[in-house]
Amino acid sequence: MSTVAKAVSLLEILGSGAPETALADLARRACFDKATTRRLLVSLIAHGLVEQDETTRLYRLGAGIARLALMREAQFPFLRIAAPVVEALAAATGETVHLSEYSKRGLITVHVVESAKANRVSVQLGDVLPMHATASGIAFLAFSEERIREAILAGPLPAFTPHTIGDAGTLAEHIAAARARGHSTGSQGYEEGVLSVAAPILGADGFAIGTIAVAAPRVRVHTGDIERHGAGVAVAARDISERLFGGLPGRKRA
Amino acid sequence: MSTVAKAVSLLEILGSGAPETALADLARRACFDKATTRRLLVSLIAHGLVEQDETTRLYRLGAGIARLALMREAQFPFLRIAAPVVEALAAATGETVHLSEYSKRGLITVHVVESAKANRVSVQLGDVLPMHATASGIAFLAFSEERIREAILAGPLPAFTPHTIGDAGTLAEHIAAARARGHSTGSQGYEEGVLSVAAPILGADGFAIGTIAVAAPRVRVHTGDIERHGAGVAVAARDISERLFGGLPGRKRA
DNA sequence: AAATGCCGTTGCAAATAGTGAAATGCACAT
DNA sequence: ATGTGCATTTCACTATTTGCAACGGCATTT
């Protein structure tokens, strides 16, 4: 295991769970020696990616993380551009709308506007959505590079609910259907009782770079709602793509 | 130089400058061997912190960075809490207001609302502000742990403009004055023609964790404006502290 | 009060992981 | 065709990293 892999693991562990973590706890969770863990943390602290409480000796993610994220956002203002569209769609539908961005590990939820209704779908910021079990994932795969799609179809398809698609053939059908329609639908594949509709946000090269999705409790979805939301996310996704890439002919982006 | 230090350097270089960077360019700027640079990048890519354009082979910061930042924000919602206060102060003063957070390297600018006026002060998100040359820095040091203050007073005080404070004694006086008043003033120490007023945002232990500042072009600052803005930032800073720590008696934070 | 357990920190020899020069392969321009 | 510039791979060498073990501080327990 490479040293940077270990360092990143520590960051991920610090990010998940409690806001602050003790050294021994961290070492145990990461399965590293205490000494190793501490030395990695010292390096990370020197660069501001981790901070340590002076008195309690507890560790937490540092402001350097935020700095990197801000620099990235300055280079590629995905959130700044897409967030208003998400808000607008949330207002128009009255349901929870979430935005995600592709990453090696899955689709990362980068923005959420929850429905104002009491019975609503809640999505955690930073959550990683599985490709095969969510409307977002299927919408993404329908417009992704073939390499990514095949990797998912070839890999394991863990079940999150009894409704999760566990068969590569069925998944391929869903993907094909989503490609034909321009948006996907997800039915309780990740969480029970949740229906979702998602559309891909396309990059400059025509491949998906993220998705926008509407998620509603099953009991509230009536005839025509799926189609209405499907049209909504498709328009919103296209809108985001255009704002990101339409106005800047010089800039290329995968 | 430790391996994680190198990996983080690459992230910083990727964040600064152009949105996408070539391997050779990156290796040159970091002063690493091309092979070394690439292997580090491969590790970072595996964890989603870096992405590579499939066709151009250019590297950029990945969505994993955003994920870590979101997880951090979920643990400690500094931006979510402070941003509305910054907006309000910007609306009230009509000038540029910026928010920063302490990090080992300096004060990191995490939120900015620029003045609507044509002649306005512009601050870059993610910028690191020097402690000795900005109103924010002096406000921070006035309420920081002694260790940090002394490290700055002992260290070098590079000049950014002819007005930058270059003398430890003068700096100590400014810090003392800021502590007495509850807010600091900065006069063209970092950028020519800019006057700033800043106040510290205090953590649960009473030490500063960040600052909020109003920055205006010198020509627009008239009699009484300094005092008015000083009162404004002080109230805003206290407001943020209270919203962060007042409501959650169980949570501690340095 | 002494003892026990837990935690963070430091030192050191062993070993794994990282290093860089050079070679290979790939595209594009000459 | 030939050349140039780039990314990528290989391999012997070296240095960083590693984990054990011991230490000191702190709190709770006996």
Side-chain angles (χ1 to χ4, degrees):
Chain A
M1 192 181 197
S2 79
T3 308
V4 306
K6 286 178 204 153
V8 178
S9 302
L10 289 183
L11 292 178
E12 300 246 327
I13 293 172
L14 283 172
S16 63
E20 293 187 317
T21 315
L23 174 61
D25 194 14
L26 206 49
R28 219 174 306 118
R29 288 220 260 164
C31 299
F32 304 151
D33 190 272
K34 267 194 303 180
T36 302
T37 307
R38 182 163 180 284
R39 276 182 294 245
L40 289 171
L41 286 169
V42 168
S43 295
L44 291 168
I45 287 171
H47 289 268
L49 299 193
V50 170
E51 288 162 11
Q52 181 175 27
D53 189 301
E54 293 289 327
T55 59
T56 65
R57 323 248 89 169
L58 265 43
Y59 298 91
R60 63 181 115 90
L61 290 178
I65 299 282
R67 186 170 116 83
L68 286 173
L70 287 166
M71 295 195 296
R72 181 177 130 89
E73 179 72 13
Q75 294 178 344
F76 180 59
F78 187 55
L79 257 180
R80 189 170 64 77
I81 299 293
V85 178
V86 174
E87 325 268 347
L89 185 59
T93 59
E95 296 293 351
T96 295
V97 177
H98 55 108
L99 179 77
S100 59
E101 187 178 355
Y102 171 73
S103 140
K104 202 131 196 160
R105 305 294 186 86
L107 288 169
I108 294 177
T109 305
V110 293
H111 192 62
V112 178
V113 179
E114 295 201 356
S115 167
K117 305 198 168 83
N119 175 22
R120 65 173 182 246
V121 178
S122 182
V123 182
Q124 202 60 41
L125 268 180
D127 258 13
V128 178
L129 303 176
M131 287 290 185
H132 69 286
T134 60
S136 289
I138 290 171
F140 182 87
L141 292 176
F143 292 86
S144 78
E145 289 162 65
E146 204 174 321
R147 197 179 43 75
I148 299 174
R149 179 166 52 249
E150 280 172 7
I152 297 292
L153 284 168
L157 304 172
F160 298 93
T161 74
H163 305 86
T164 305
I165 298 170
D167 166 58
T170 313
L171 181 56
E173 284 171 28
H174 279 255
I175 293 172
R179 190 178 308 125
R181 263 181 318 192
H183 69 263
S184 67
T185 62
S187 177
Q188 312 181 70
Y190 188 50
E191 290 241 18
E192 299 259 16
V194 173
L195 294 192
S196 296
V197 182
I201 297 164
L202 303 183
D205 54 6
F207 291 117
I209 59 167
T211 65
I212 182 168
V214 175
R218 190 164 68 90
V219 296
R220 200 190 295 149
V221 178
H222 304 111
T223 321
D225 281 352
I226 298 268
E227 286 71 25
R228 191 155 43 251
H229 292 165
V233 290
V235 168
R238 207 155 328 131
D239 190 12
I240 293 169
S241 292
E242 269 166 32
R243 292 194 200 194
L244 274 172
F245 305 104
L248 304 122
R251 286 273 302 278
K252 255 194 63 182
R253 180 88 191 178
Chain B
M1 192 180 197
S2 78
T3 308
V4 305
K6 286 177 205 155
V8 179
S9 302
L10 289 183
L11 293 178
E12 300 247 325
I13 293 172
L14 282 172
S16 63
E20 291 187 318
T21 316
L23 174 62
D25 193 15
L26 206 48
R28 217 175 308 118
R29 287 220 260 163
C31 298
F32 303 152
D33 190 272
K34 265 195 302 181
T36 301
T37 307
R38 183 163 181 284
R39 273 182 299 247
L40 288 170
L41 286 169
V42 168
S43 296
L44 291 168
I45 287 172
H47 289 268
L49 299 192
V50 170
E51 288 163 9
Q52 182 175 27
D53 190 300
E54 292 289 327
T55 58
T56 66
R57 323 249 89 170
L58 265 42
Y59 297 90
R60 63 182 116 91
L61 289 178
I65 299 282
R67 187 171 117 83
L68 286 173
L70 287 165
M71 294 194 297
R72 182 178 129 87
E73 179 72 13
Q75 294 179 344
F76 179 60
F78 188 55
L79 257 179
R80 189 170 65 76
I81 299 293
V85 178
V86 174
E87 325 269 346
L89 185 59
T93 59
E95 296 293 351
T96 296
V97 177
H98 55 107
L99 179 77
S100 59
E101 188 179 353
Y102 171 73
S103 140
K104 204 131 195 159
R105 305 293 186 86
L107 288 169
I108 295 177
T109 305
V110 294
H111 192 61
V112 178
V113 180
E114 295 201 356
S115 166
K117 304 197 169 84
N119 175 23
R120 64 172 182 249
V121 178
S122 182
V123 182
Q124 202 60 41
L125 267 178
D127 258 13
V128 178
L129 304 176
M131 287 290 185
H132 69 286
T134 60
S136 290
I138 290 171
F140 181 87
L141 292 177
F143 293 86
S144 79
E145 290 162 66
E146 203 174 321
R147 197 178 42 74
I148 299 174
R149 179 166 51 249
E150 279 171 7
I152 297 292
L153 284 168
L157 304 173
F160 299 94
T161 74
H163 304 87
T164 305
I165 298 170
D167 167 57
T170 313
L171 181 56
E173 284 171 28
H174 277 257
I175 293 171
R179 189 177 311 126
R181 262 182 319 192
H183 68 264
S184 67
T185 62
S187 178
Q188 311 180 70
Y190 189 50
E191 290 240 18
E192 298 258 17
V194 173
L195 294 192
S196 294
V197 181
I201 296 164
L202 304 183
D205 53 6
F207 292 116
I209 59 168
T211 66
I212 182 168
V214 175
R218 191 163 65 90
V219 296
R220 200 189 295 148
V221 179
H222 303 109
T223 321
D225 281 352
I226 298 269
E227 286 69 26
R228 192 154 43 251
H229 292 165
V233 289
V235 168
R238 206 155 329 132
D239 190 12
I240 293 170
S241 290
E242 268 166 32
R243 292 195 201 195
L244 274 173
F245 304 105
L248 303 123
R251 285 273 302 277
K252 253 194 61 181
R253 180 88 191 177

